[in-house]
Amino acid sequence: MRCVVANWKMNLATQEARAFCDDLVGRIAPGPGIEVGIAPPFTLLHLVSGLLRPKGIQVFGQNGHAEPKGAFTGEVSMPQLRDAGCSGVLLGHSERRQFFGETDAALAKKVKAAWQWDLLPLLCIGETLEQRDAGRTLEVLGQQLSILGETGPGPLWVAYEPVWAIGTGRRAEAAQVQEAHAFIRAELNRLLPTGTYQVPILYGGSVTPESFPELLGLPEVAGGLVGGASLDPRKFAELVKQAS
Ligand code: 13P
C-alpha cells in the first residue's frame, strides 16, 4: 500500500483551504492501493473533513493530547479529533519535539490514546544534523521507536523525517533514506510481534514532484509526508499520481 500525506503545519485559512479542497478533488480520485491524507490545522478540521472524507481522502490531526478531556488549555484531545472528522493523527513531528518539548514518554501515551479512540497514529521520527554528523542516526531512530516496546502493536504508520531535510530544500539522498528505512523495518520487526499489522514507512523532508519518483523506487518507502509542496494542490495531486 502507498500513502501520501499532506502536513499543512500552521498554514491556510478557511477560504484558502476550501479552494485547495475543491481543486484537489478535481485532480485525484484515490483508488485501491493508495491512501491519501491531509493534516490541516485544528481550526480547519471540520471544513476539510467535510469536503474530503466523502471523496476517500483521510484527515489527520497534527497533534493530540493523551487525556480525553480536562483542564489542558490550548490542547485538543483524541476524541475531539475524531469528532472533527479525523481518522488519524500525526504524533512526534520534529517541530513538536523541537519547539514544544514533546518527549518519547509523552508519545507512548499519545499512541495508546490514539488507538483507544480509533485513530491511526502516524509516528514521526528523525535525527538532527548534529546527530547525523556524530554518527548517531540509527541510535536516535532506535530510541524514538523504542516506545513501541511499551505501547505494543496496533495500526500504525511511521514517517522517517530527517530534521535537516525538513523545509530546507535538501532532501536526503537515496542511500541515506534506504539505510534509515531498512533499519526502521528491522526495528519494527524486532519490537512488534510478527504477523501483526504491516507498518508502512513514509519518507518526509523536502519532497517534491521532482524528487518523489526516485524515493518511491526504494525498498521500504511506502510514500511521503509532505510539507511545503502539499500547500499547492497541483503539486500535491502530482505526488499522489506518482504514488498511484
Ligand atoms: P517539507 O516538505 O516542507 O520539507 O516538510 C516536511 C514535513 O515536515 C512534513 O511533516
Side-chain angles (χ1 to χ4, degrees):
M1 185 183 57
R2 288 281 177 75
C3 318
V4 184
V5 179
N7 177 7
W8 283 358
K9 308 191 180 184
M10 198 172 71
N11 293 294
L12 306 191
T14 306
Q15 293 314 320
E16 297 160 311
R18 188 185 294 283
F20 179 102
C21 293
D22 289 345
D23 189 328
L24 186 69
V25 298
R27 292 176 188 273
I28 59 163
I34 179 148
E35 294 281 359
V36 180
I38 308 266
F42 294 133
T43 51
L44 297 172
L45 285 174
H46 268 108
L47 173 77
V48 172
S49 61
L51 292 170
L52 296 188
R53 287 200 69 181
K55 307 289 182 186
I57 297 171
Q58 303 205 38
V59 177
F60 287 72
Q62 293 181 11
N63 179 32
H65 198 276
E67 293 297 326
K69 62 178 179 177
F72 300 100
T73 301
E75 291 289 320
V76 171
S77 73
M78 303 297 176
Q80 287 173 323
L81 292 178
R82 267 221 80 90
D83 179 59
C86 292
S87 58
V89 58
L90 307 191
L91 292 177
H93 192 280
S94 69
E95 288 148 20
R96 301 288 325 161
R97 295 178 192 259
Q98 261 185 301
F99 305 134
F100 303 98
E102 191 104 288
T103 62
D104 287 324
L107 285 166
K109 291 193 184 130
K110 289 180 176 206
V111 168
K112 285 195 263 190
W115 286 337
Q116 196 179 344
W117 295 97
D118 207 16
L119 289 165
L120 174 74
L122 172 41
L123 180 66
C124 306
I125 61 174
E127 80 288 359
T128 63
L129 189 57
E130 197 182 18
Q131 289 163 337
R132 173 164 284 274
D133 287 346
R136 294 183 52 221
T137 298
L138 302 185
E139 175 203 329
V140 169
L141 299 180
Q143 171 63 38
Q144 292 172 337
L145 283 172
S146 69
I147 63 166
L148 299 176
E150 189 185 322
T151 63
L156 177 78
W157 295 359
V158 169
Y160 169 56
E161 297 203 302
V163 178
W164 48 273
I166 294 177
T168 58
R170 180 182 164 196
R171 203 209 74 190
E173 285 163 25
Q176 295 171 320
V177 176
Q178 205 163 328
E179 182 194 34
H181 281 233
F183 175 78
I184 293 165
R185 175 62 67 209
E187 283 297 284
L188 291 171
N189 288 342
R190 193 177 65 77
L191 289 162
L192 302 174
T194 48
T196 55
Y197 187 87
Q198 172 76 6
V199 178
I201 308 169
L202 286 64
Y203 168 82
S206 298
V207 169
T208 62
E210 290 69 41
S211 66
F212 202 36
E214 185 194 17
L215 291 166
L216 288 169
L218 301 175
E220 299 296 354
V221 175
L225 177 57
V226 189
S230 80
L231 294 169
D232 176 343
R234 195 182 46 81
K235 283 190 190 163
F236 186 65
E238 184 59 30
L239 296 171
V240 172
K241 284 182 193 152
Q242 289 173 343
S244 297

